[in-house]
Amino acid sequence: MISAHNLGFPRIGGARELKWALERYWRGEIPSAVLQTTASELRSRHWRLQADAGLDNVPVGDFSLYDQVLDHSLMFGVVPSRFGAAGDMPTLDTYFAMARGMAAKPDVGFASEMTKWFDTNYHYLVPEFEPELQFNLHADALLQQVGEAQAMGLSAKPVVIGPLTYLWLGKVKRQACAKLDLLPDLVRVYARLFAQLKQAGVEWVQVDEPILALDLSAEWRQAFESAYTQLATQRPKLLLTTYFGDLREHLRLACHLPVDGLHLDLCRAPQQLLPAMDWLPSHKVLSLGVVDGRNIWRGDLTGLLDTLDPVAQQLGDRLWLAPSCSLLHVPIDCSAEHTIDSAIRGGLAFAVQKLEEVGLLKRALAEGHAAVEHELRAAEHAIAMRLAHPARLRPVVRERVAGVNDAMARRNTGYAQRRQVQRARLQLPLFPTTTIGSFPQTAEIRSARRNYKHGELPLAGYEDAMRQHIADTIRRQEALQLDVLVHGEAERTDMVEYFGEQLDGFVFTQQGWVQSYGSRCVKPPIIHGDVARPRAMTVEWARYAQSLTDRPVKGMLTGPVTILQWSFVRDDQPRSDTCQQIALALRDEVSDLERAGIAIIQIDEPALREGLPLRTSDWPAYLRWAVRCFRIASAGVDDATQIHTHMCYAEFNDIIDAIAQLDADVITIETARSDMELLEAFSGFAYPNEIGPGVYDIHSPAIPETGRMEGLMRKAAQSIPAERLWVNPDCGLKTRAWGEVEPALRNMVAAARRLRETAVN
Ligand code: GLN
Ligand code: ZN
């Protein structure tokens, strides 16, 4: 019999129960026992649901109170010394301190670094490997959950991050050892873990090694062999699990490691199927990830069955079916969505529906297609309805895309010439000061937005309130004597949603939450059709803000790549095509802003870097279309209009070329935390345009000192000519309070003034 299983289920809960419980626990409103009860209720509800979908076993250990990588760090005793003595049994409070920092001792108790999980929008906590680290096993939490599932009469399949991937994700701290030096010790702990799981009656363990979809050196490939060879006995069966990409040159290695099965992501990389069937030894299970865990559309089950029928014939009960990856990256249940056009909604599949798809495929293969004829026809019909939706193909958009030419992606002249014209127009001092766009989103702003949304505040009243906030923000910036002002983004909840709501081709869910980190969730828009801009989106606010001051006010847009990256996208055309449509819509917005007299337009691309493919050999193709889309959006302006862009991350070295090719007149970037180190990349490469290296970290409530910011800028001026430097914070200020923002910016402006006084021009 063919088996069906799941790699992981979203844990936050359909009503975000886990989020609310966590936040109440952190505020001290509920004891840990109540939090734990919520957690175990969610687990059992989700297991029941998965079993009811027809799965043969349920994933255990995919649930986490904060982050599954952090859970592994606790399980292996990888607790940084600032959170307690080595060998101490970590407590729930240690766990949350590692995740969120220790409020009582902010200087020592800073949280572990958080970073993106492969190419997803999920953030994990980076394991810290300190000197003299001793891996230790504390598997009680996992074993307890195995027991919970077994007590429900289910077959529990623990989900464990594999030793190589766990090591890869971590960082060696304050010592000169290579990560792989730690492997032998770590493998010993895994051996004990597997032995304990076997003792607990576990038949299969899912061992996630997604790094097999990355570029790996010979050393790491070798380490796979040695680690799994050492783990070959005294354990349950292991399902080596990969996802997010094609294993390519590692596929043969993965087929031959001494484990009992292999899971492949056939959504991202269907071409793996045939070689895997050739190479996989005949005693091993092949688990095929055929239902897309990274997108929200129903799958083409009939088409899949054509592929799977002969595979099932050949493999028999060695074939397992599953989603491509953990369902952590999709929302829970689309039957809760009532506001989306029914033709589009019918084409959606969230976690619950995806498991139904897996269950259905299994039945079709086991009992024959006829047994599920009705369900298959219904699925085909739903897909056909979605694809027939008139919003999918808009002739006007298609014509415009077909008419895009190279000239549209190029400014009229080069930066050097534009600079002269812009200088004459803007009359800015040396070291001009500015901010990144948003100002504090106060309780009044949020309540005005909420009341408007719930129909309690009429449009006119809402707009009035927003104008007042804009006027207040402009007044405060003038008082601070900033040189280039912003309107403050009071009207925006989210930098992608705000634009998506005004563009054709997007729909929004009510409950489509996806965990981003800890208790934080995002509700990504869904791009289902051709993207077009029915009317100007930001022009009235920008015009109003500019009318209040003689200083230039920047127009503020989210870039095409970021809008694409932070949405669920349509699956019927390449991402690059969708991105180009967004770029054209933004291009129109840019020219409307220009026509309204806005002299500086900022197009934020914080997600440019995270769109990078997992394999470096795929980077150039991505960067080519991503850069082109930014340029299509931005290049339609006159020389006198200054284009800014903003990115908030520090690792630029890899993509500095592409960033220069964006040809923005000014880029503002995050550098404050890395002490301007990244500017070396910019100087080494001789970055040609202007740069505003963030002089303070907006994530910290501390008020930055004038002297420190001045010093950072002097450091920057060693690698970049002073006349090309701007002074600004490293990101938007919406999460801060005015009480922090005003003194910080006052100091920042003072730093710029000191720099001007001493600068030799
Ligand atoms: N303009 C946006 C802001 O200031 C940029 C946000 C971001 O970089 N993520 O909030
Ligand atoms: Zn930013």
Side-chain angles (χ1 to χ4, degrees), residues 39-266:
S40 73
E41 282 170 4
L42 283 168
R43 285 194 293 267
S44 60
R45 190 202 300 167
H46 296 160
W47 285 328
R48 176 56 55 213
L49 189 154
Q50 295 177 83
D52 289 350
L55 303 192
D56 295 278
N57 58 45
V58 292
V60 176
D62 56 334
F63 184 89
S64 173
L65 284 174
Y66 200 97
D67 165 45
Q68 73 274 16
V69 180
L70 181 62
D71 293 356
H72 282 72
S73 293
L74 258 80
M75 178 159 73
F76 299 143
V78 183
V79 176
S81 48
R82 62 185 184 279
F83 296 109
D88 280 3
M89 180 70 182
T91 64
L92 189 61
D93 290 328
T94 316
Y95 178 81
F96 287 131
M98 286 167 70
R100 311 172 66 233
M102 268 194 294
K105 292 191 263 169
D107 42 337
V108 287
F110 55 89
S112 286
E113 188 189 331
M114 212 165 46
T115 194
K116 297 221 175 204
W117 175 251
F118 299 87
D119 61 352
T120 73
N121 229 331
Y122 176 79
H123 301 70
Y124 71 91
L125 284 147
V126 177
E128 297 180 39
F129 305 130
E130 294 184 328
E132 274 135 71
L133 167 66
Q134 290 272 322
F135 293 108
N136 260 308
L137 186 64
H138 308 277
D140 319 21
L142 181 61
L143 289 165
Q144 185 205 318
Q145 292 177 28
V146 167
E148 284 174 23
Q150 289 169 335
M152 289 171 67
L154 302 171
S155 161
K157 178 198 60 180
V159 179
V160 173
I161 298 172
L164 280 306
T165 293
Y166 179 73
L167 259 194
W168 179 280
L169 296 173
K171 272 194 182 162
V172 171
K173 298 279 168 168
R174 305 194 306 275
Q175 56 174 331
C177 84
K179 270 196 255 184
L180 283 176
D181 296 347
L182 303 170
L183 186 62
D185 239 7
L186 183 61
V187 167
R188 273 190 281 279
V189 176
Y190 271 85
R192 284 176 43 214
L193 171 65
F194 290 156
Q196 291 189 12
L197 290 172
K198 187 178 169 71
Q199 215 160 40
V202 163
E203 188 189 357
W204 280 93
V205 179
Q206 172 185 323
V207 185
D208 287 7
E209 291 284 13
I211 65 166
L212 283 166
L214 308 181
D215 300 327
L216 295 176
S217 66
E219 253 186 313
W220 278 84
R221 290 168 49 97
Q222 175 57 44
F224 264 97
E225 306 226 25
S226 63
Y228 282 90
T229 307
Q230 283 171 61
L231 293 169
T233 56
Q234 301 285 321
R235 55 156 175 79
K237 293 182 200 160
L238 301 185
L239 181 73
L240 184 74
T241 301
T242 68
Y243 36 81
F244 301 152
D246 191 343
L247 305 196
R248 297 188 193 173
E249 72 278 23
H250 315 316
L251 181 58
R252 198 185 277 270
L253 168 73
C255 286
H256 291 291
L257 287 175
V259 293
D260 309 276
L262 174 64
H263 173 88
L264 298 174
D265 180 340
L266 288 198

Side-chain angles (χ1 to χ4, degrees), residues 442-508:
T442 59
E444 299 92 82
I445 293 177
R446 283 196 304 257
S447 93
R449 251 195 339 244
R450 200 165 38 237
N451 292 343
Y452 169 57
K453 209 171 154 193
H454 295 166
E456 288 149 22
L457 181 66
L459 178 64
Y462 167 75
E463 289 185 341
D464 234 34
M466 290 302 125
R467 269 193 293 271
Q468 278 173 33
H469 289 297
I470 290 173
D472 175 61
T473 302
I474 296 284
R475 246 187 331 264
R476 291 184 199 242
Q477 292 174 86
E478 285 201 311
L480 288 162
Q481 302 192 0
L482 286 157
D483 299 306
V484 171
L485 314 191
V486 295
H487 79 292
E489 302 180 25
E491 78 289 7
R492 304 183 188 178
T493 38
D494 173 277
M495 62 188 293
V496 170
E497 185 180 62
Y498 180 73
F499 290 93
E501 280 177 341
Q502 301 187 72
L503 290 166
D504 291 335
F506 286 73
V507 287
F508 291 85

